[in-house]
Amino acid sequence: MAERLYDKDTKIDTVKTDPVFGGHGRLLFPVNGAYMRGRTLGDLRLAWYSCIDPDETVEIVNTLRRRAEAGQTIFYDIYTDREKAADPAKKDTGLFFFQGKPGKRFAVCSAGGGFAYVGAMQDSFPHALELSRRGYHAFALIYRPDAQAACEDLVRAVSWIFAHAKELEIDTDCYSLWGGSAGARMAAWLGSYGPAAFGGEDLPGPGAVVMQYTGHSRITAQDPPTFACVGEEDWIADWRSMERRLKLMDRMGIPTEFHHYPGLSHGFGLGTGTAAEGWVQEAVSFWEAQM
């Protein structure tokens, strides 16, 4: 029997309602549909994002589908049924899991979306898939689109991963947080202040933060090693502001690496086929240097 796969002509609603995803297919796309355009995977567009590659979109949903059909768990709740009943917004949260090799470290990827929606299909799923291909366990967080609530969800996700690390065969040492735009702010805030500051357990902070295109400028002495990149034509996050922050961190003795790319605007994701292509491997190498 031939394998059934999605393609660029597959309707988004078909993916969202596919039983293979156990009811979580709707979270693959923005819960608030006002920030999304397109009826098919090939014409998906997300607010504030550029360089959306339909081939990557199709690859992501097909990868998750194959893994689900093979019996792998691809989604984990971070809140209990009781917690979701008390706060219905928590029903729209969770972790999509891109499994790596046993015993490898983990990363949590948080998409941007201006704290109005979660642009995971461009800004966290592609990153998580790439990390898993390099053997690392990667989680793409679907969070409540509010700055405070989002940080609470990120902390809850990290706490959940630590609590289930043994059964998932994950090494929790020197984990990394990845994020773009609003997701980058989340990663930076958690890196600066630690999980306990946002209601989480007293767990270690990340060994590295990987940030894309954000105007976040605050610095603390506790900031972890940080990799950042941005496009030179970004109308939201000026590359000079990002560079300035990392230079200050470098002067404080915090390891940093910064890249800016000509011709790119906000939300380029993996940057496939652009001046930014290959930045993910550079970021992975930076993370590995902190291990």
Side-chain angles (χ1 to χ4, degrees):
M1 181 177 176
E3 183 181 25
R4 293 188 305 120
L5 293 175
Y6 306 125
D7 58 35
K8 286 185 279 190
D9 294 324
T10 302
K11 291 182 179 179
I12 291 171
D13 284 343
T14 298
V15 179
K16 291 168 68 173
T17 58
D18 194 325
V20 73
F21 295 123
H24 300 114
R26 65 185 185 85
L27 297 179
L28 291 167
F29 304 91
V31 173
N32 188 338
Y35 295 92
M36 179 182 79
R37 291 187 293 110
R39 297 179 63 245
T40 69
L41 295 177
D43 59 22
L44 172 68
R45 296 294 180 270
L46 300 172
W48 309 309
Y49 281 97
S50 61
C51 305
I52 295 179
D53 185 344
D55 290 329
E56 287 178 353
T57 301
V58 171
E59 186 175 24
I60 289 162
V61 292
N62 277 329
T63 297
L64 289 172
R65 177 177 181 155
R66 288 190 189 99
R67 294 182 180 185
E69 290 178 333
Q72 295 182 26
T73 300
I74 62 167
F75 183 87
Y76 289 100
D77 283 304
I78 56 175
Y79 292 108
T80 65
D81 289 341
R82 178 176 295 182
E83 289 171 318
K84 287 186 285 186
D87 182 356
K90 291 179 178 177
K91 294 178 181 179
D92 297 329
T93 66
L95 288 168
F96 281 97
F97 183 37
F98 293 76
Q99 188 175 24
K101 296 180 180 178
K104 295 287 281 186
R105 292 176 169 87
F106 78 91
V108 180
C109 304
S110 300
F115 294 118
Y117 79 105
V118 180
M121 196 57 74
Q122 169 72 349
D123 224 13
S124 61
F125 291 151
H127 306 63
L129 178 57
E130 287 299 313
L131 287 166
S132 70
R133 285 173 171 163
R134 289 164 171 78
Y136 294 105
H137 300 283
F139 297 84
L141 174 65
I142 307 301
Y143 58 86
R144 291 170 290 168
D146 167 87
Q148 178 64 34
C151 288
E152 293 172 2
D153 294 343
L154 178 55
V155 167
R156 181 60 173 260
V158 172
S159 297
W160 185 94
I161 295 167
F162 267 77
H164 295 84
K166 184 175 181 180
E167 63 193 75
L168 295 177
E169 298 184 276
I170 289 175
D171 182 352
T172 58
D173 186 43
C174 196
Y175 68 92
S176 61
L177 298 179
W178 297 54
S181 199
R185 290 181 180 270
M186 294 161 57
W189 285 329
L190 182 55
S192 295
Y193 305 111
F198 297 97
E201 300 174 37
D202 188 17
L203 297 172
V209 165
V210 177
M211 308 171 65
Q212 289 183 275
Y213 32 77
T214 178
H216 178 74
S217 59
R218 187 171 299 178
I219 302 171
T220 73
Q222 291 74 44
D223 278 324
T226 299
F227 177 104
C229 62
V230 64
E232 292 180 3
E233 303 301 321
D234 196 316
W235 69 95
I236 295 175
D238 186 276
W239 70 268
R240 297 171 186 84
S241 297
M242 293 188 68
E243 183 181 51
R244 191 177 306 118
R245 178 176 185 262
L246 265 69
K247 282 184 176 179
L248 290 172
M249 293 173 68
D250 191 61
R251 290 172 191 162
M252 295 170 64
I254 300 169
T256 67
E257 185 173 335
F258 178 69
H259 298 272
H260 53 94
Y261 308 109
L264 283 184
S265 57
H266 196 73
F268 57 79
L270 297 185
T272 305
T274 74
E277 186 166 358
W279 77 265
V280 171
Q281 182 53 55
E282 293 175 323
V284 169
S285 296
F286 177 83
W287 176 25
E288 291 173 341
Q290 317 311 319
M291 295 179 184

